[in-house]
Amino acid sequence: MSAPNPLHLANTAQQMARSAPASDAVVFNKVAMVCMGVMAAASVAQVFQSLLRDLNRREKGSLGRGR
């Protein structure tokens, strides 16, 4: 079984918040915000990982040429 998709969880929580009583809607909205935060953090981590990979390639390339 694969991990749940945070975007799907956020959309589901928002839909549930629309039809829930006010006290429950607050909880569902918080769940949706956490899911969106997880997606944003994963996107940022992916960008930083690719930048770090490019920097490492350039560093290895410049070390090899200097010898």
Side-chain angles (χ1 to χ4, degrees):
M1 186 162 135
S2 65
N5 182 352
L7 181 60
H8 178 69
L9 289 176
N11 287 336
T12 302
Q14 285 177 336
Q15 289 173 358
M16 293 173 80
R18 287 186 196 110
S19 62
S23 59
D24 292 339
V26 171
V27 174
F28 288 129
N29 280 326
K30 287 183 182 180
V31 169
M33 292 302 291
V34 168
C35 291
M36 290 178 193
V38 167
M39 286 180 43
S43 296
V44 168
Q46 187 176 14
V47 167
F48 281 136
Q49 184 181 20
S50 66
L51 287 174
L52 184 61
R53 189 179 314 122
D54 289 344
L55 288 173
N56 283 336
R57 272 192 213 131
R58 288 181 185 172
E59 183 68 24
K60 286 180 184 179
S62 66
L63 287 176
R65 287 186 215 131
R67 292 186 170 193

